Amino acid sequence: MNATTDCLFCRIVAGDVPADLVRATDDTLAFRDVAPQAPTHVLVIPREHHRDIAALASSDPALAGRVIADATQMAAELDLAEFRLVLNTGPSAGQSVFHVHAHVMAGREFSWPPG
Ligand code: DGP
């Protein structure tokens, strides 16, 4: 796969696909999910292409840490006292876009176990 042209989230990073940006750092972007599953639903991604959190944590654990740190920092900036943080990893776990992303969801009650 050519990450820059074939990956939807790489195209968002490149500015070729529009996104409702919430936060940007040198390493990560946070933007609103196009199909929100909660009143607040933001995706946090590394700018660099990695397929999923397992691939990212194995090739660059420091960047994996920054994705999580930036997700929690973004939640604090949005005044989200409580939130759900989800990284679907693989199709059977619900991953549909294969550029690692952390879902930050808040503003409603969440059930457990997740479906
Ligand atoms: P997952 O199923 O965990 O891979 O989550 C992918 C999420 O990406 C899903 O919640 C919908 C969201 N999404 C898909 N296409 C777009 C898009 O073009 N823009 C934005 N902002 N979100 C998208």
Side-chain angles (χ1 to χ4, degrees), residues 1-114:
M1 183 184 81
N2 180 324
T4 310
T5 55
D6 297 343
C7 168
L8 174 61
F9 288 175
C10 284
R11 296 181 68 210
I12 287 178
V13 171
D16 295 338
V17 170
D20 184 357
L21 209 61
V22 175
R23 189 168 190 272
T25 72
D26 287 349
D27 297 319
T28 66
L29 281 187
F31 54 90
R32 295 195 189 274
D33 195 294
V34 79
Q37 301 300 310
T40 299
H41 188 168
V42 178
L43 303 174
V44 181
I45 68 168
R47 291 177 185 269
E48 215 174 85
H49 183 84
H50 298 267
R51 175 185 172 85
D52 56 32
I53 189 63
L56 173 58
S58 128
S59 71
D60 191 344
L63 181 57
R66 287 199 293 283
V67 170
I68 302 303
D70 286 351
T72 58
Q73 180 64 33
M74 185 275 305
E77 287 170 10
L78 294 184
D79 281 329
L80 306 178
E82 301 182 354
F83 55 89
R84 181 166 284 186
L85 180 62
V86 173
L87 290 116
N88 295 325
T89 306
S92 71
Q95 186 176 9
S96 60
V97 176
F98 295 91
H99 179 131
V100 59
H101 49 281
H103 296 258
V104 179
M105 292 172 284
R108 67 169 172 84
E109 291 287 320
F110 293 93
S111 57
W112 193 264

